[in-house]
Amino acid sequence: MSAVVSTMDQILGQHRFFADFPPDFAELIAGCARNTHYKPGEYLAHESDRADSFFILSKGKVALEVAVPGKSPVVIATLGAQDVVGVSWLVAPYCWLFDARVMEDMRGISIDAKCLRVKCDADHDLGYEMMKRLLPVLTQRLHATRMQILDVYGKS
Amino acid sequence: MPDVRFAPADLLVPTPYRVVERVRELDDVTTLRLEPRGGERTRVNPGQFNMLYAFGIGEAAISVSAAWETGRGLSHTIRDVGMVSHALSHMEEGAEVGLRGPFGSGWPLDRAEGRDIVIVAGGLGLAPLRPAIEAVLARRERYGRVTVLIGFRSPKDILFPRQIRDWRERPDVELHATVDHSAADWRGHVGVVPTLIQRTAFDPENCLAFVCGPEIMMRFSAQALLGAGVSPARIHLSMERNMKCAIGHCGRCQFGPHFVCKDGPVFPLELIAPILSVREI
Amino acid sequence: MMEEAKHGPPALIGPDDLELLIQALTHSGRQVVGPVLRDEAIVYDHIDSIADLPAGWTDRQAPGHYTLEPRADAAVFGYAVGPHSWKRFLHPPVQTVWSASRDAGDGLGFDLAPDPARPYAFVGVRACELRAIEIQDKVLRDGATPDRAYVARRDRVFIVAVNCSQPAETCFCVSMDAGPRAKTGFDLALTELLDDDLHQFLVEIGSEAGAQMLAGIPHRQADETALSQANAVLERTSAGMGRRMETDGIKELLQNNPDHPRWDDVANRCLSCGNCTMVCPTCFCTTAEDTGDLANRTAERVQKWDSCFSLDFSYIRGGSVRSSTRSRYRQWLTHKLANWIDQFGTSGCVGCGRCMTWCPVGIDLTEEARAIRAETGVPK
């Protein structure tokens, strides 16, 4: 193996979510980020837990699911490489709304939400850059959810 | 008296075809494999449809879901939703149906040669796309990257699961199947099929996309493809409207200025974009 | 002036000669169809003689309104068009397409319905109706897959046209460039000329078959007086159009305005009865009905006129694509005046006015098109 070691801001830059992110900001984010590794069956988060981190996936698969009494949990969506898991960290009261269960060996970056919130509050330009990236994720999820509700393949 | 020109009789009058095999695909979906009784096999292009007639009951437009080349007979995959499709779904092996066709334009496979192909199927929309996928894989070297994205309602609604597995196992095909609704025991994707488009690598400048499924699913998939940079001339949708004659005479399948039966059912988005989101058109 | 007569110069005949023409057409093996009085209207049906024609009658028409009135003279073609059109014969309201049988071994057999044996002769076809036949030809005959039964009837029909002398308040063939003069598509064309004591018909010859037919009956060459009389009739008719349709840019006007508020307005009046589509001489849409006997041994397919105003027309699994009256009226008018141009290279409207006369609430398509134009700022 070659001994090339990427710095955290370089790793972040390789992710779709941070594409074309200003280098100064990448360094700020890197200060809140760390590499993570979860095995199948582990949970990134549980419903109603404090949302004090969010995840950028580079490998693996994660299910967002909701527990249903007396039944197996309902999966709302599955997320994979290049996806972001978690937006609840951005909105008070900063609590997870779903369980995030690892389906396939997951590698990625976990970002300390509290750390990032403080930095975004201090530097609104950074905050705006983050919002520009998170809002499309939210609208896409919303749109996909609407289409799920439509039940387009349903029996008529 | 001038020469009298007639439409070939077989466009108006069904030809008897024998049901050689009936496969129950899903609770309400059946595939009939048909062979002409003594007649010649007519060439069918992927994406074309036939009119199938159940004796004394009526006729319905049914997509051809596998061409002759892939096995015994010509396959038609039918969802049991009305009187005619119910009768067809319950045909015994050995019984006869009437067949007129094939009708309509198919998928532009020739135009796709040398390019990436993105196939987006939703539910029963996989049926008319299966012959296209099979034709592409039979001449795999002629195409660039081949991506197949398939969405179903839930894991128990997955159509043609064996084929999907075979395609997935090929190193030269990128296949993703997703379901809208699932419990935790499903190991595949959950989410609507357009979300797969955002996650897939293909060359938007040099690809052709074939989309078939419920109209809402096609509209949203077309949006996602446009969002990925695919031009409307490269996106093809297979439309559905009421049909009786299949030769452009009964007027029922009109979709704006187009007759779905003879101008379609496969249309480039470029041609139908102005009317695709007009209500009740 | 008349165009250069290719098949022979214009002739003059009297009522007795017209009778002989009808006889000759019958003797040639054709079923002769023409205007007759029935059910308080002038309709098209089998005729044996000039005596069957509605001599001395005319019609008064307005949106939602049709009445017969006696004329002061004995004109036999002194009215506009009634509820029937010739599509009733060339593209009949009900026809069997094929019959089928099932043998003891459950094998199916199909038999195409026989082609109609006896050719038609039409007497009294107006210029707008010639255009309508020409338009239906494009739909049912001239495409990649001609309608077998239509072609069999159409290619054998003998057409005696009539130049209109009495436009209705609902007529606008001049706007649609479809009349009032019969220019092509006929074998013979008559212009009825009535003087105080002289009743005669100028006859123009449109085909070799027409020339042969005329040769078999007494006639004399038309003089300048008769020719200028006929021209005067047509000029008067042209000037007497009760309606006008602005056709400039109408395709784009309708295709670009599917959400115009006028569609809601007309939907409040339209009963979606489909009368307009039944009386329209170009509307061609059909349904197919499949029936079987109780023993399930024989079956047949019957084609019937259908209307884009019916809910069944656009039914796909679970519902109708066009469930609102608004969308069905919009489909009809946009198809007729706009989409038809894309599909067949011609408007689907000939300006005969039947759709407004026979509309129970008197919807006037020229008015609807005008309202859409007025409120969208498309130049007049």
Side-chain angles (χ1 to χ4, degrees):
Chain A
M1 289 290 283
S2 65
V4 178
V5 178
S6 301
T7 60
M8 181 54 78
D9 53 329
Q10 286 170 333
I11 296 170
L12 288 173
Q14 289 159 7
H15 199 284
R16 186 176 62 187
F17 184 81
F18 286 112
D20 304 321
F21 209 61
D24 293 358
F25 291 160
E27 260 177 62
L28 283 173
I29 303 265
C32 301
R34 62 186 177 84
N35 283 308
T36 53
H37 176 208
Y38 286 80
K39 293 193 183 68
E42 292 185 319
Y43 284 80
L44 302 188
H46 283 287
E47 184 184 322
S48 82
D49 279 1
R50 289 190 56 81
D52 48 18
S53 58
F54 74 103
F55 302 87
I56 302 213
L57 272 52
S58 50
K59 182 175 169 292
K61 194 185 312 186
V62 174
L64 300 185
E65 58 187 37
V66 182
V68 184
K71 289 183 184 169
S72 65
V74 174
V75 178
I76 305 301
T78 53
L79 299 168
Q82 304 290 321
D83 283 329
V84 175
V85 178
V87 287
S88 303
W89 65 275
L90 198 64
V91 189
Y94 314 120
C95 288
W96 285 93
L97 296 171
F98 301 107
D99 296 339
R101 176 176 54 88
V102 175
M103 298 172 75
E104 292 168 13
D105 201 61
M106 182 222 125
R107 285 176 191 277
I109 292 160
S110 150
I111 297 177
D112 181 329
K114 203 170 171 185
C115 164
L116 186 57
R117 284 199 297 263
V118 169
K119 288 183 180 177
C120 287
D121 281 341
D123 184 343
H124 286 186
D125 286 346
L126 169 65
Y128 182 62
E129 280 296 330
M130 285 302 292
M131 288 303 264
K132 276 203 293 188
R133 285 165 165 73
L134 279 162
L135 196 60
V137 173
L138 282 169
T139 54
Q140 281 160 16
R141 299 262 171 94
L142 176 62
H143 188 66
T145 307
R146 284 172 175 163
M147 196 177 149
Q148 276 173 310
I149 293 168
L150 287 170
D151 198 16
V152 292
Y153 312 118
K155 296 169 172 62
S156 44
Chain B
M1 231 166 258
D3 284 345
V4 177
R5 289 151 293 144
F6 289 141
D10 59 358
L11 292 185
L12 294 170
V13 181
T15 303
Y17 272 63
R18 197 167 287 277
V19 177
V20 292
E21 188 187 6
R22 184 183 70 182
V23 180
R24 188 71 69 205
E25 308 278 5
L26 303 171
D27 276 358
D28 58 347
V29 177
T30 302
T31 295
L32 297 183
R33 287 186 179 274
L34 304 175
E35 280 280 1
R37 188 198 337 127
E40 273 181 41
R41 291 175 161 194
T42 320
R43 183 181 158 70
V44 181
N45 295 320
Q48 289 191 301
F49 66 94
N50 285 320
M51 299 298 291
L52 295 191
Y53 169 72
F55 188 82
I57 295 174
E59 205 179 42
I62 308 285
S63 311
V64 173
S65 59
W68 303 110
E69 295 79 11
T70 54
R72 289 167 296 155
L74 189 63
S75 288
H76 299 77
T77 299
I78 301 155
R79 188 167 179 184
D80 182 352
V81 284
M83 230 169 40
V84 177
S85 58
H86 180 79
L88 290 169
S89 300
H90 291 80
M91 284 285 168
E92 298 294 332
E93 287 173 9
E96 286 192 353
V97 298
L99 182 149
R100 295 191 294 133
F103 297 111
S105 59
W107 304 104
L109 287 170
D110 294 346
R111 239 190 86 205
E113 288 190 9
R115 303 177 198 275
D116 288 359
I117 292 193
V118 184
I119 286 180
V120 187
L124 199 57
L126 180 58
L129 279 166
R130 182 168 72 169
I133 297 169
E134 285 170 340
V136 167
L137 296 184
R139 300 171 168 196
R140 181 64 189 84
E141 71 288 353
R142 299 192 183 195
Y143 302 92
R145 273 174 289 192
V146 174
T147 306
V148 180
L149 309 174
I150 316 178
F152 297 104
R153 185 169 191 266
S154 75
K156 69 175 170 47
D157 299 309
I158 294 176
L159 186 66
F160 309 143
R162 266 182 309 176
Q163 251 123 355
I164 292 175
R165 199 167 53 232
D166 291 347
W167 297 333
R168 195 203 301 272
E169 280 168 8
R170 289 180 63 129
D172 54 0
V173 175
E174 182 180 354
L175 183 142
H176 300 289
T178 185
V179 297
D180 282 9
H181 307 282
S182 163
D185 53 357
W186 162 250
R187 304 197 53 78
H189 292 286
V190 178
V192 295
V193 72
T195 60
L196 296 178
I197 293 169
Q198 299 151 8
R199 301 176 190 187
T200 312
F202 53 85
D203 181 1
E205 311 268 311
N206 190 34
C207 73
L208 246 59
F210 302 162
V211 186
C212 187
E215 203 168 303
I216 300 173
M217 168 266 167
M218 290 199 289
R219 294 209 306 262
F220 290 169
S221 298
Q223 285 297 337
L225 287 162
L226 291 170
V230 185
S231 77
R234 299 178 180 282
I235 301 170
H236 295 263
L237 313 181
S238 181
M239 299 302 298
E240 181 186 7
R241 283 293 181 269
N242 184 306
M243 278 184 207
K244 291 280 184 186
C245 75
I247 54 175
H249 291 169
C250 77
R252 309 174 81 88
C253 69
Q254 287 179 81
F255 177 49
H258 315 291
F259 288 94
V260 171
C261 72
K262 65 182 174 109
D263 304 331
V266 176
F267 291 98
L269 178 62
E270 184 180 45
L271 196 64
I272 58 173
I275 54 171
L276 191 58
S277 52
V278 175
R279 289 184 187 187
E280 296 190 85
I281 199 151
Chain C
M1 282 305 295
M2 301 286 165
E3 284 175 38
E4 190 60 35
K6 200 168 108 192
H7 302 281
L12 275 172
I13 62 171
D16 294 345
D17 308 319
L18 180 58
E19 173 68 16
L20 292 174
L21 175 64
I22 293 170
Q23 303 302 333
L25 288 169
T26 305
H27 289 140
S28 70
R30 294 175 168 93
Q31 185 182 352
V32 184
V33 182
V36 298
L37 272 184
R38 203 175 70 205
D39 302 334
E40 296 177 55
I42 294 167
V43 300
Y44 298 142
D45 205 346
H46 175 73
I47 58 169
D48 290 315
S49 146
I50 189 172
D52 293 329
L53 300 177
W57 286 95
T58 192
D59 50 17
R60 184 170 294 279
Q61 302 191 37
H65 186 83
Y66 179 98
T67 46
L68 291 179
E69 289 179 0
R71 289 176 62 93
D73 57 31
V76 293
F77 296 116
Y79 38 84
V81 291
H84 283 184
S85 69
W86 305 97
K87 79 173 179 183
R88 164 170 299 275
F89 304 95
L90 295 176
H91 180 50
V94 180
Q95 59 181 320
T96 300
V97 183
W98 46 254
S99 55
S101 59
R102 188 155 81 161
D103 63 29
D106 283 349
L108 306 188
F110 295 91
D111 289 304
L112 187 65
D115 292 327
R118 201 168 164 202
Y120 285 116
F122 295 161
V123 175
V125 182
R126 308 305 174 115
C128 62
E129 300 182 307
L130 291 172
R131 171 62 63 80
I133 292 170
E134 200 181 292
I135 290 171
Q136 283 213 327
D137 286 349
K138 287 184 195 292
V139 179
L140 298 171
R141 186 186 68 179
D142 300 340
T145 53
D147 179 304
R148 190 184 171 93
Y150 180 84
V151 174
R153 296 188 185 91
R154 173 67 181 99
D155 283 355
R156 297 191 298 170
V157 70
F158 187 96
I159 292 180
V160 180
V162 165
N163 283 319
C164 276
S165 59
Q166 182 92 31
E169 211 186 288
T170 45
C171 283
F172 58 104
C173 63
V174 170
S175 299
M176 304 315 295
D177 194 26
R181 182 191 290 277
K183 289 176 184 161
T184 58
F186 57 82
D187 295 293
L188 295 173
L190 310 179
T191 310
E192 188 167 23
L193 304 174
L194 282 148
D195 267 346
D196 290 341
D197 52 354
L198 194 60
H199 188 186
Q200 53 186 359
F201 302 88
L202 179 78
V203 188
E204 289 166 78
I205 306 164
S207 73
E208 211 36 57
Q212 282 172 25
M213 196 54 70
L214 183 65
I217 61 165
H219 63 279
R220 60 192 174 85
Q221 194 167 329
D223 51 31
E224 279 301 320
T225 315
L227 292 175
S228 60
Q229 249 185 307
N231 278 336
V233 166
L234 282 161
E235 275 164 27
R236 218 170 38 239
T237 304
S238 291
M241 293 284 117
R243 289 289 185 283
R244 187 176 159 275
M245 173 82 86
E246 177 55 72
T247 55
D248 266 6
I250 197 159
K251 180 171 107 70
E252 293 74 19
L253 176 74
L254 295 178
Q255 289 179 342
N256 296 343
N257 283 290
D259 292 316
H260 196 282
R262 186 71 182 189
W263 301 121
D264 295 306
D265 186 278
V266 69
N268 286 332
R269 288 170 278 137
C270 175
L271 308 177
S272 67
C273 68
N275 268 14
C276 49
T277 58
M278 296 295 114
V279 295
C280 177
T282 67
C283 272
F284 57 84
C285 291
T286 55
T287 187
E289 289 181 4
D290 289 294
T291 53
D293 69 359
L294 286 174
N296 214 10
R297 285 292 154 205
T298 63
E300 66 174 8
R301 160 158 296 195
V302 177
Q303 177 185 296
K304 294 182 175 175
W305 285 356
D306 199 1
S307 169
C308 52
F309 283 91
S310 80
L311 270 176
D312 175 68
F313 189 79
S314 65
Y315 186 89
I316 49 176
R317 59 182 82 161
S320 294
V321 172
R322 291 185 282 273
S323 56
S324 70
T325 300
R326 174 187 183 275
S327 66
R328 282 177 265 156
Y329 188 86
R330 181 183 69 188
Q331 166 64 23
W332 180 69
L333 196 70
T334 307
H335 182 219
K336 188 69 51 187
L337 299 176
N339 294 345
W340 214 296
I341 298 170
D342 284 331
Q343 294 168 349
F344 304 108
T346 170
S347 173
C349 178
V350 299
C352 71
R354 285 179 178 93
C355 56
M356 45 183 130
T357 296
W358 299 95
C359 174
V361 294
I363 294 170
D364 172 352
L365 80 169
T366 67
E367 189 53 42
E368 298 311 315
R370 192 173 298 118
I372 290 171
R373 191 182 290 274
E375 291 160 35
T376 46
V378 173
K380 292 205 164 66

